[in-house]
């Protein structure tokens, strides 16, 4: 249980020192269950948590942010899926049952849920599929038909194929090397899935290049894409501005918005995908406040 906690703010965010309930391998990833009282009842699918790493004496000051895979308000637990990419995430994959973890959550904007029952396709790349199963549950509770497309480079990089049965109305799997499902990318099969399901809404989480492709395919099939972007976040609460990306707002103006507080979920057709190249986000020249050629 928590050793300390901070009451929720007006925005519904709370900070709690929880404890690890489970840390299990799942394919190439780790599945953490954390007791974090007060978080689950505030959270919605698409939001994320910011976890402190390294322990109380660590020099690793920045938190690491992860999409909420599932929550259980009755048990007071939250679940995340983690891949070890660096010292911080590696530390998290090695925590033991009972270890304390400082949690700030829920953060960010959730996936928008349709007001009426409709057909939806959910697309996940690698462990980016983690938040989609909770979303699928919420959509089906609203009477929506839900199909899932899961993709990864190889079989062991997929997440959640075994969770799809009973959670969705159909699942399609792709791998780059053909070790599971269709050989190729999610974008190769997405159009057919949208057509077969008669979907008007597409929800996606995964690498940025995949999100662009999903947006393009959805638009070509008259569907609206909602994407949870994977920009790097240093603070997770809107202070540091490291996660800004160019978004075209409803008035047609491009602004640099923070993916941590204004996102991470955006309409796919609002993201300026033309600003991304070689893993770097540039500032389009027509962005509000962008530097002018030749100086200010």
């Amino acid at each position: 249980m928590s050793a300390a906690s901070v009451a929720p703010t007006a925005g519904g965010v709370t900070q709690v020192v929880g404890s690890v309930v489970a840390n299990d391998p799942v394919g190439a990833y780790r599945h953490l269950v954390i007791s974090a009282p007060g978080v689950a009842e505030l959270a919605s699918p698409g939001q994320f948590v910011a976890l402190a790493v390294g322990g109380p004496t660590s020099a690793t000051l920045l938190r690491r942010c992860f999409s909420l895979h599932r929550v259980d308000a009755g048990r007071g637990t939250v679940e995340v899926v983690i891949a070890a990419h660096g010292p911080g995430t590696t530390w998290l994959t090695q925590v033991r049952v009972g270890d304390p973890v400082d949690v700030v959550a829920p953060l960010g904007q959730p996936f928008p849920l349709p007001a009426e029952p409709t057909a939806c396709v959910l697309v996940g790349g690698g462990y980016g599929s983690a938040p989609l199963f909770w979303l699928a549950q919420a959509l089906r509770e609203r009477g929506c038909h839900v199909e899932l497309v899961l993709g990864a480079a190889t079989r062991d990089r997929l997440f959640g194929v075994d969770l799809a049965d009973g959670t969705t109305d159909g699942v399609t799997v792709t791998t780059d090397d053909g070790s599971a499902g269709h050989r190729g990318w999610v974008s190769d099969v997405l159009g057919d899935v949208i057509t077969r399901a008669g979907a008007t809404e597409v929800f996606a989480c995964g690498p940025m290049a995949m999100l662009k492709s999903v947006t393009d395919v959805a638009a070509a099939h008259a569907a609206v894409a909602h994407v949870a972007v994977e920009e790097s976040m240093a603070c997770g609460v809107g202070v540091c501005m490291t996660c800004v990306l160019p978004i075209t707002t409803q008035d047609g103006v491009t602004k640099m918005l923070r993916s941590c507080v204004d996102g991470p979920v955006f309409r796919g057709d609002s993201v300026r995908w033309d600003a991304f190249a070689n893993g770097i986000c540039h500032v389009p020249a027509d962005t509000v406040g962008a530097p002018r050629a030749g100086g200010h």
Side-chain angles (χ1 to χ4, degrees):
M1 282 293 290
S2 64
S5 63
V6 176
T9 67
V13 178
T14 190
Q15 180 175 6
V16 58
V17 180
S19 60
V20 177
V21 174
N23 179 0
D24 298 312
V26 53
Y29 314 111
R30 303 293 297 192
H31 174 209
L32 264 63
V33 181
I34 302 170
S35 175
V39 173
E41 52 266 48
L42 299 174
S44 298
Q47 292 187 293
F48 64 93
V49 298
L51 305 180
V53 297
T57 60
S58 173
T60 306
L61 301 180
L62 300 178
R63 293 172 180 268
R64 300 295 186 271
C65 298
F66 304 95
S67 296
L68 281 163
H69 171 43
R70 287 184 299 214
V71 304
D72 187 329
R75 297 175 62 201
T77 57
V78 299
E79 302 178 35
V80 297
V81 178
I82 296 175
H85 291 304
T89 49
T90 297
W91 182 86
L92 277 171
T93 61
Q94 296 171 349
V95 294
R96 298 170 297 182
V97 172
D99 283 351
V101 179
D102 191 293
V103 180
V104 176
L107 298 169
Q109 303 301 317
F111 286 110
L113 300 180
E116 302 292 337
T118 187
C120 305
V121 177
L122 282 51
V123 187
Y127 72 119
S129 63
L132 301 181
F133 301 94
W134 184 19
L135 173 63
Q137 177 184 344
L139 290 169
R140 295 185 83 191
E141 287 173 353
R142 288 175 171 247
C144 296
H145 175 90
V146 178
E147 299 223 14
L148 188 62
V149 179
L150 300 176
T154 58
R155 174 189 291 270
D156 70 321
R157 308 301 293 184
L158 290 165
F159 175 79
V161 176
D162 58 332
L163 301 177
D165 289 340
T167 307
T168 64
D169 297 293
V171 59
T172 303
V173 174
T174 70
T175 50
D176 296 0
D177 65 355
S179 54
H182 299 268
R183 185 186 186 96
W185 298 344
V186 294
S187 54
D188 296 335
V189 302
L190 179 57
D192 289 342
V193 176
I194 293 173
T195 299
R196 183 182 69 235
T200 57
E201 307 278 338
V202 176
F203 302 83
C205 184
M208 294 296 277
M210 187 204 83
L211 299 182
K212 177 185 183 303
S213 297
V214 168
T215 300
D216 292 342
V217 174
H221 291 76
V224 175
H226 308 277
V227 299
V229 300
E230 286 195 340
E231 286 294 274
S232 296
M233 299 177 187
C235 75
V237 294
V239 174
C240 68
M241 305 294 285
T242 57
C243 63
V244 294
L245 74 167
I247 298 293
T248 301
T249 56
Q250 292 184 348
D251 56 5
V253 176
T254 296
K255 299 178 181 177
M256 299 299 289
L257 299 185
R258 297 164 294 180
S259 59
C260 65
V261 294
D262 300 306
V265 178
F266 296 99
R267 273 186 61 128
D269 57 6
S270 74
V271 179
R272 288 287 300 269
W273 301 109
D274 59 307
F276 294 86
N278 300 319
I280 298 175
C281 178
H282 301 272
V283 180
D286 59 342
T287 303
V288 173
R292 298 185 184 280
H296 297 290

